[in-house]
Amino acid sequence: MRTPALERAVFLLLLTVVTVAFASLLLPFFGAVLWAVALAMLFHPVFQFIARRMPQRRSVAALLTVLIVLVAVILPTTAIGLVLVEDLVDLVARIRSGEINVARAFERAWNAAPAWVTTVLRRFGLGDLAAIQERIQGVAGVVAQEIASRAVSVGQQAFGLLVSFGIMLYLMFFMVRDGAVLSKGVREATPLARSQSHYLLNKFTTVMRATIKGNVVVAAIQGALGGVAFAVLGVQGALLWGVLMALLSLLPVVGGALVWLPVALYLLAIGSIWKAVMLAAFCAVVVGSVDNVLRPILIGKETQMPDYVVLLSTLGGIALFGVNGFVIGPVIAALFLTAWRLFAEPTAPGHESPASVPAAQSSATDSVMSGA
């Protein structure tokens, strides 16, 4: 016997099944879709600037915005990536040929190290130089093999990466041009009160933009400063270490230090005390101040998340989703905190009745969300 409740249940089951099926179709292009949405949000002010000067040609304005992203972001990143891969391949070749002998370099560092350094190492059971050299050489061989396999894998997946870039740019065009319509559809389809959907979508957009602007800009500046410092001090592979420092700088608080601190300790161990002191002082003061000064300015207090939540969510996101996780992790954390705030606090901003949401606020939300 057909009843309204049964029909509703069957419809919800059908909706769930087709939604999961459609999501599985998009799963191979998850990264492309994510970055299309993220870049559309980030560069929507550029689109608005162009669209105001050609109000009847929104498609042209969106196309120009995509071209700006291509020239200003994607092409320079690709060029740096190609140079980095070339440096990695050269590094692997030099290690395999014996031109770079990590064990011998460690022996030189051991012999040149001050007595207090070797004394401390012996206290920790690291006084057997031959055993340490053998272990280091083995680790270096494994690392070289892993780098080589990764480089080959990137080369084999070049076509797939090219397709993903094309899909990302294609989707970004429509996200930029039709973002207001899409966000309105999402908001109306969400079975929440209007004020709650506004609040959640605003939080999603704010955290997405803030995470990309804050993390990427800070990481790029820290990597550039670190690379320049390595080059000035004569550290071999300055570009490689600078890029690695930029990548690790995506981790708040501790990221950049994971690169420059070991390099400073190595310089100290081989007797280059002034170089070690200069590198440590520059990175701790100048590079560290970039994180302490620029990140709050770029991210601001809009995310309303403690530093430890940002750090843990970023680490968890990277562990689950790879490089995309540095965006996904904080967004999930922000939505988690926001949803629980709406649930636990009856006076939270998202609990106003729909009638109490002013028309101006609705327009502002459409403007903010139009990048989605």
Side-chain angles (χ1 to χ4, degrees):
M1 180 178 177
R2 297 174 60 181
T3 63
L6 178 61
E7 292 177 353
R8 178 69 173 174
V10 172
F11 175 74
L12 290 177
L13 177 62
L14 174 64
L15 182 64
T16 302
V17 170
V18 297
T19 301
V20 172
F22 182 70
S24 65
L25 292 177
L26 297 181
L27 191 59
F29 308 104
F30 173 76
V33 175
L34 172 68
W35 285 103
V37 174
L39 289 174
M41 290 181 178
L42 192 61
F43 284 87
H44 186 70
V46 177
F47 167 73
Q48 288 180 316
F49 176 81
I50 299 174
R52 281 195 295 266
R53 282 151 180 78
M54 45 177 69
Q56 304 302 321
R57 306 179 70 181
R58 291 178 61 84
S59 295
V60 176
L63 180 60
L64 289 175
T65 304
V66 172
L67 291 176
I68 290 173
V69 173
L70 180 64
V71 173
V73 177
I74 296 177
L75 291 182
T77 303
T78 303
I80 293 174
L82 293 175
V83 174
L84 179 61
V85 170
E86 184 179 349
D87 285 351
L88 287 174
V89 172
D90 178 65
L91 177 63
V92 171
R94 295 171 66 186
I95 291 176
R96 288 180 171 176
S97 66
E99 183 180 349
I100 296 179
N101 191 312
V102 181
R104 192 181 306 131
F106 178 79
E107 182 181 1
R108 288 199 301 267
W110 179 279
N111 294 331
W116 66 269
V117 174
T118 56
T119 301
V120 170
L121 291 176
R122 288 192 178 96
R123 287 180 180 177
F124 284 94
L126 300 176
D128 189 348
L129 179 59
I132 296 176
Q133 284 181 297
E134 183 178 354
R135 188 177 305 173
I136 290 176
Q137 192 63 29
V139 171
V142 172
V143 171
Q145 182 63 36
E146 182 66 19
I147 292 174
S149 63
R150 293 286 182 181
V152 172
S153 176
V154 169
Q156 292 174 343
Q157 298 175 1
F159 179 75
L161 292 174
L162 185 62
V163 171
S164 295
F165 272 121
I167 293 174
M168 181 190 70
L169 294 175
Y170 180 74
L171 288 177
M172 183 186 168
F173 170 81
F174 293 101
M175 296 287 181
V176 170
R177 191 190 66 179
D178 304 325
V181 176
L182 293 173
S183 64
K184 182 180 179 181
V186 170
R187 190 167 59 249
E188 292 178 350
T190 304
L192 295 173
R194 184 180 179 186
S195 58
Q196 291 179 335
S197 63
H198 272 285
Y199 190 63
L200 285 171
L201 290 175
N202 274 334
K203 178 62 68 173
F204 170 80
T205 307
T206 298
V207 174
M208 180 77 81
R209 284 178 171 173
T211 300
I212 295 174
K213 286 193 301 182
N215 287 346
V216 172
V217 172
V218 169
I221 294 176
Q222 287 188 324
L225 291 174
V228 170
F230 294 144
V232 170
L233 295 175
V235 177
Q236 196 169 16
L239 175 62
L240 173 62
W241 299 119
V243 172
L244 183 60
M245 188 170 173
L247 293 175
L248 291 176
S249 294
L250 295 174
L251 301 177
V253 183
V254 299
L258 296 176
V259 177
W260 65 259
L261 185 58
V263 174
L265 292 176
Y266 171 78
L267 293 174
L268 181 64
I270 64 175
S272 299
I273 298 177
W274 281 111
K275 287 185 177 182
V277 172
M278 290 173 62
L279 178 63
F282 178 81
C283 290
V285 176
V286 179
V287 178
S289 66
V290 171
D291 187 81
N292 296 329
V293 175
L294 281 186
R295 197 182 296 270
I297 294 175
L298 294 173
I299 298 179
K301 300 185 181 298
E302 297 173 328
T303 59
Q304 297 179 351
M305 289 195 300
D307 290 339
Y308 64 88
V309 174
V310 176
L311 177 61
L312 291 176
S313 61
T314 302
L315 290 173
I318 292 175
L320 289 176
F321 303 102
V323 68
N324 297 324
F326 87 89
V327 174
I328 301 174
V331 168
I332 292 176
L335 292 179
F336 169 80
L337 295 176
T338 303
W340 274 99
R341 183 186 179 199
L342 291 175
F343 175 77
E345 300 179 18
T347 58
H351 279 291
E352 293 94 344
S353 63
S356 66
V357 179
Q361 179 182 340
S362 178
S363 300
T365 303
D366 287 339
S367 175
V368 172
M369 285 302 299
S370 60

